[in-house]
Amino acid sequence: MLKIVPKEIRKYFITVFCMGIVAFFLGLLFDNKYIYIAYASGVFVSFFMNLYLLYITYKVVYEYKGVSLMSLRYITSFIIYAISIYLISLVIEDKYAILANALGLISFRLVIYFYLLVNKIIRK
């Protein structure tokens, strides 16, 4: 499956994974629970859910498994995102931890937007 994934998408996955590891260790270094628990867990949940999206897309496109898998993936991802936010709200009882986790959950999209913005600036 990973043989057919474009290099640019691999670059996004590697960047998000490294970002999660760096956030975790920076949070430990500065003893900031918002970073090493809330944000890093959001980044890793985002990473694995987008990897799951890639797997389901591969199944639908290349193995013709059907579109019902996409609906199942959509529902599953929102359930896992909700569980992630709920668990963070139980562990760290603060609204800023929930915001840090939500920022981590959208980190994959932010990385894509950042790369697109950099490419647009470089091309000018």
Side-chain angles (χ1 to χ4, degrees):
M1 178 184 97
L2 291 177
K3 293 177 185 176
I4 61 169
V5 176
K7 289 181 184 179
E8 195 165 317
I9 294 176
R10 285 186 206 163
K11 181 172 56 173
Y12 299 150
F13 276 104
I14 291 169
T15 303
V16 169
F17 189 76
C18 291
M19 193 169 70
I21 290 173
V22 167
F24 179 77
F25 286 115
L26 279 177
L28 285 178
L29 181 69
F30 295 123
D31 193 32
N32 189 339
K33 61 185 175 184
Y34 300 118
I35 295 174
Y36 77 87
I37 295 176
Y39 181 74
S41 67
V43 168
F44 288 124
V45 168
S46 173
F47 174 79
F48 287 115
M49 290 313 299
N50 282 298
L51 195 62
Y52 181 59
L53 170 66
L54 184 67
Y55 174 73
I56 294 298
T57 305
Y58 174 80
K59 288 285 192 187
V60 169
V61 173
Y62 291 101
E63 295 181 7
Y64 309 108
K65 293 291 182 180
V67 182
S68 62
L69 284 175
M70 291 303 284
S71 301
L72 180 65
R73 185 265 168 200
Y74 187 74
I75 293 169
T76 305
S77 67
F78 277 109
I79 290 172
I80 291 176
Y81 289 159
I83 290 171
S84 170
I85 290 174
Y86 178 71
L87 289 177
I88 289 299
S89 70
L90 287 179
V91 172
I92 307 171
E93 296 173 353
D94 193 5
K95 62 185 171 188
Y96 297 113
I98 295 171
L99 291 175
N101 185 260
L103 185 64
L105 289 174
I106 63 170
S107 64
F108 197 85
R109 289 163 188 86
L110 292 176
V111 166
I112 292 173
Y113 292 142
F114 177 74
Y115 272 115
L116 292 175
L117 182 66
V118 168
N119 285 339
K120 187 175 182 180
I121 291 172
I122 290 174
R123 288 183 185 163
K124 283 187 178 182

